[in-house]
Amino acid sequence: MIESVSRALSSPRSRASVALVSTAVLLAGCGGSGGGSTTAASTEIPAALASAFPGTKATGAPVRIGLITNEGGATTSQPENREAAEAARKYANADLGGIAGRPIEFVICKTKEEPATARDCANQMVEQKVDAVVLTSSGLGDSMVPIVTKAGIPWTTSIAASNSEGTTPNAFSWTGGFPTTMTSMAAYAKEKGYKKVAAFVIDAPAAVSGIEAIGKPVFAKAGVGLQIVTIAAGTPDASPQVSAALRNKPDAVAVVGESTVCTSVLQAMGTLGAGIARMSVQSCVAPEVVDAVGAGMDGLQVFSSFDVASDDIEAQLYRQVMKEYSPGTPTQGYAAIGYQGVLGLVRALHGLTGTVSSKTITSALHSAKNVVLPAGHGITFTCDSKAVPGLPSACSAKEVTGTVSDGKLGHMQVVDPSPLFAR
């Protein structure tokens, strides 16, 4: 797969990469079905958001949606993603009429980022005959997507993190996943005039191979050299690796990893590389990273599928929904991926009426056009297989980027990396 990706990205006549890499490994037993109350906490809704809370309650027999989430693993566990997905479900049931007027009920399965539990989750979705599946985040889509889609069940996610999620018929990703993140970073580096970038990457096979196959070619196309430096998850001090990389005098560094990698690299950069521009993925602004790095966070350019921090109306809505339905969940980290995945499905199915089944949901998703991406800073998605060359399941190519100042992410804007996609 990696060789085919390299050829796809390097050939001037080719289409863009069809490989994706695990956002789960970059960021950080199966449960039963989840219904849960749709009663909101008693919080006041700002006037600007009043129209987003019309009080259209879902009624009737529930639509059963499978929710697969990564929890309980030895190295990766993100319960906040599920909590944000639950918040989106409760909001949709209380105010948006659920799906086709019917309440959404989750069938929840938790992978431990192990192939066996991932396959078990996929098989549970088939056995439970869910109408669609939403994945929050996992690097094991290749173990799950074929099982689910062969059963006629549509697979959906906010950020595709595997080859199967990006290329399988009846799999849908609201954004372009890791390829668009790396391409957006490359476009930003080109705009800034950088010539050399050192990428500190979590030492996991999917992450490293993805950077090699996707990152290097798109950075090269942007006229930027990319040096890859691996960092083991849990590394308390990345000073030796950072010091060695800085000897090559990069114009900027990029951090691609979960929170421990982000912390160790950014702390070392504060000591050894002050003044050098820094880029990162969303996991690097998790609360624990911000607390540990402190002032060293300022100036960090963050690339993500979502904006949860600005005054954009979608960011405000996200914070309000979380305040009402999951007030104990931190909103600055990666939790929004669960919210975005579930609410994206609800919005894409807005026009669905009558019979709700895997077949009618799949048809409605293929017809989804210009759907507002939840917490997407104005990005819309259309699932016509044309958004990202070579990734027919991707419904949008755009990314959100922002800058950290005084420990907070702001100055949000949308990046369109389309010019760098191979044609």
Side-chain angles (χ1 to χ4, degrees), residues 50-72:
S51 64
F53 291 86
T56 305
K57 295 187 181 297
T59 60
V63 176
R64 302 178 77 235
I65 300 296
L67 184 76
I68 299 178
T69 184
N70 55 350
E71 292 185 53

Side-chain angles (χ1 to χ4, degrees), residues 109-183:
C109 190
K110 303 173 183 178
T111 77
K112 297 180 180 180
E113 283 306 283
E114 301 167 347
T117 58
R119 288 191 295 271
D120 184 48
C121 280
N123 285 319
Q124 281 197 37
M125 298 301 127
V126 176
E127 293 165 4
Q128 292 289 325
K129 298 181 179 180
V130 299
D131 296 306
V133 167
V134 175
L135 173 72
T136 59
S137 65
S138 172
L140 299 173
D142 287 335
S143 298
M144 298 183 281
V145 173
I147 295 172
V148 171
T149 56
K150 283 179 182 178
I153 301 170
W155 176 278
T156 71
T157 185
S158 178
I159 299 181
S162 67
N163 189 61
S164 293
E165 288 175 287
T167 61
T168 301
N170 300 334
F172 303 86
S173 174
W174 312 146
T175 68
F178 189 70
T180 58
T181 297
M182 292 309 301
T183 309

Side-chain angles (χ1 to χ4, degrees), residues 61 63 99-102 349-357 360-361:
V63 176
I99 292 175
R102 294 165 51 185
L349 299 178
H350 176 70
L352 181 62
T353 58
T355 302
V356 178
S357 65
T360 60
I361 287 176

Side-chain angles (χ1 to χ4, degrees), residues 367-383:
S367 301
K369 294 182 179 179
N370 300 320
V371 179
V372 176
L373 181 67
H377 203 79
I379 294 172
T380 62
F381 65 86
T382 296
C383 297

